[in-house]
Amino acid sequence: MSFSKRFLAAITGLIVVGLLVGGMWYRLRSGPNGDEAQAAETDAVLPDVSATQRFATDVAQPVSGAMVRRDTLWITVTAAGQADAIQEAVLTARVEGVVESIAVGENARVGVGGALLQIDSTEYALETAQARADLVAAEAEFLRATLFNDEIEDPEVRAQRERLARSSSGMNQAEVELQKAALDLARTTVQAPFAGRVADIRVDPGQFVSVGDELVTVVDLDPIKVEVQVLEAEVGFLAAGRRAVVSFAAFPGETFPARIVSINPKVEPETRTARVTLHLANPDHRIKPGMYARVSLDAQSFPDRILVPRSALLERDRRPMLFVYDGDEGGGRAEWRYVCPGLESDSIVEVVAPCDEGEVEPGEVVLVDGHHYLVHDAIVRLVDEPAREGGRPGR
């Protein structure tokens, strides 16, 4: 038994030594030559492309630019509100009867006096005819009563006899009844009080309506108004006639010019805001009443300032800077320039000049898109949309 253990130990030792020798031989065999072959194989599959090759500085980068201008800087006030029609009329039935026909559909354009719907006019036409006949009979009685008035020489006596004859013959009453019947007959045709669009139709053909029932709504959409609530601390900077810019959630990325037409002199105690009303053109009626709106209102003005878009400003080494385009329509270079920004609005920044850091002059072009990763003196070309032209992504 003891011999068997010694034998097994000797066999195990030989196996371990054999494995160690085999491992050393394998490593010596796959030395530099083996690594070079493996590296060559890797290079063939995944060639090394450096960052410099990917973003070569000798290739003109597409960017967009905007001109530096000297102008008045407006500090704006922002507020939210909604669009509403300047004119809106809910038309009601002024006579009773059955709706005979509806001449328009919702959202249809209508002109002043355009027919909207028709109420059955048969009875009203008969009443008008009857009133006309009654007037003819009263006129005959009046003529009989005044047959010999021409023989009366005193004009005052003659006029008094005519007044008595009109009353006794029922001619006055007949004229009133005819006018009333004709008015009711005309009211069976419901007409638009102003040019606009049909917003709501509340009845159907064949439906009986009573006096006062709502029939149809007409709205005037051009111009349209937007009402916003402005904080009391800011409303004092506003004035009627100033410009405003309106954007709607329904039209992302699009803005609409407007004007302030009125500022409510009262501040709501609950919200500490005042209502400001704007008007804006809406010739194609795209803007609908009820649409949510964001408004930027011109408040404080600072004339004769050098202005650049906010998107032109970048920060390098914790200092504000921008790129000025140096070239022509064919291409040019981006000149790195530190600047001192001053007052700013939502979209515009003042560049203070002179400034120890640097300055820009009116008429120069500053880069506003595709410029975030440029270096000084980079080759660039001006385009409208850098992203479409393969420009580098912005932040």
Side-chain angles (χ1 to χ4, degrees):
M1 195 67 166
S2 60
F3 174 80
S4 192
K5 288 181 178 179
R6 286 196 299 270
F7 178 77
L8 291 175
I11 293 298
T12 303
L14 289 173
I15 293 173
V16 171
V17 171
L19 291 174
L20 290 174
V21 172
M24 293 176 64
W25 175 82
Y26 179 78
R27 291 189 61 184
L28 291 172
R29 184 177 179 276
S30 61
N33 294 333
D35 291 341
E36 289 174 3
Q38 185 176 2
E41 182 180 355
T42 303
D43 288 344
V45 177
L46 296 174
D48 182 21
V49 180
S50 66
T52 303
Q53 288 174 315
R54 287 194 188 100
F55 299 107
T57 56
D58 58 345
V59 177
Q61 300 298 319
V63 294
S64 62
M67 188 170 292
V68 181
R69 57 191 176 90
R70 185 183 295 275
D71 203 348
T72 299
L73 173 65
W74 285 92
I75 303 300
T76 58
V77 170
T78 59
Q82 70 176 29
D84 202 358
I86 294 178
Q87 290 189 92
E88 179 174 343
V90 179
L91 305 181
T92 59
R94 304 183 71 179
V95 293
E96 66 177 23
V98 175
V99 177
E100 189 174 73
S101 62
I102 299 176
V104 294
E106 289 190 352
N107 200 39
R109 289 178 182 263
V110 292
V112 179
L116 303 176
L117 61 83
Q118 180 66 49
I119 297 174
D120 185 12
S121 61
T122 305
E123 291 186 8
Y124 298 100
L126 291 173
E127 290 177 0
T128 302
Q130 181 63 56
R132 187 172 289 109
D134 292 343
L135 178 58
V136 171
E139 288 175 342
E141 183 63 24
F142 171 77
L143 290 175
R144 187 187 65 79
T146 58
L147 185 60
F148 300 105
N149 269 18
D150 293 342
E151 298 178 1
I152 300 175
E153 295 181 358
D154 190 338
E156 292 186 2
V157 174
R158 188 165 61 248
Q160 185 175 6
R161 282 177 58 85
E162 289 180 355
R163 286 195 295 270
L164 291 173
R166 288 180 64 87
S167 177
S168 61
S169 66
M171 188 172 173
N172 289 337
Q173 184 64 29
E175 288 176 343
V176 172
E177 292 296 330
L178 178 59
Q179 291 176 359
K180 181 178 180 299
L183 181 60
D184 287 343
L185 178 61
R187 286 173 172 172
T188 61
T189 301
V190 179
Q191 298 175 310
F194 49 79
R197 285 187 181 268
V198 177
D200 296 297
I201 299 175
R202 297 179 173 83
V203 294
D204 298 305
Q207 179 178 338
F208 182 86
V209 294
S210 300
V211 175
D213 287 350
E214 293 184 357
L215 304 176
V216 62
T217 300
V218 177
V219 293
D220 181 9
L221 299 181
D222 185 28
I224 200 166
K225 69 178 179 181
V226 174
E227 293 183 343
V228 296
Q229 298 294 328
V230 177
L231 294 173
E232 63 175 331
E234 299 176 330
V235 73
F237 296 117
L238 305 178
R242 285 187 179 170
R243 299 173 303 173
V245 176
V246 185
S247 59
F248 295 93
F251 310 114
E254 192 171 356
T255 58
F256 301 82
R259 289 280 177 183
I260 301 174
V261 295
S262 66
I263 301 171
N264 195 311
K266 292 176 56 179
V267 173
E268 297 294 334
E270 296 83 6
T271 61
R272 311 310 306 174
T273 60
R275 187 179 71 252
V276 177
T277 303
L278 320 170
H279 284 185
L280 61 154
N282 188 30
D284 50 6
H285 296 180
R286 293 174 64 204
I287 305 169
K288 313 296 184 186
M291 281 186 173
Y292 176 79
R294 292 288 302 175
V295 178
S296 178
L297 308 158
D298 282 352
Q300 296 174 281
S301 63
F302 298 89
D304 197 29
R305 304 298 171 106
I306 297 176
L307 307 177
V308 300
R310 285 180 63 95
S311 56
L313 284 182
L314 302 174
E315 185 176 297
R316 302 284 172 85
D317 303 325
R318 298 183 180 180
R319 298 160 65 189
M321 54 79 61
L322 47 70
F323 286 102
V324 177
Y325 180 74
D326 182 12
D328 52 30
E329 295 181 358
R333 295 183 179 272
E335 179 185 334
W336 178 316
R337 198 176 297 179
Y338 288 108
V339 292
C340 293
L343 297 170
E344 59 184 57
S345 67
D346 291 341
S347 59
I348 301 296
V349 178
E350 173 196 12
V351 175
V352 179
C355 174
D356 293 338
E357 300 290 343
E359 59 183 325
V360 291
E361 296 292 337
E364 290 186 304
V365 174
V366 293
L367 304 187
V368 296
D369 192 13
H371 61 313
H372 294 87
Y373 301 105
L374 295 181
V375 296
H376 176 64
D377 215 26
I379 301 174
V380 294
R381 57 188 176 91
L382 292 179
V383 298
D384 292 332
E385 297 184 33
R388 285 190 177 181
E389 302 289 336
R392 300 180 185 182
R395 292 177 179 175

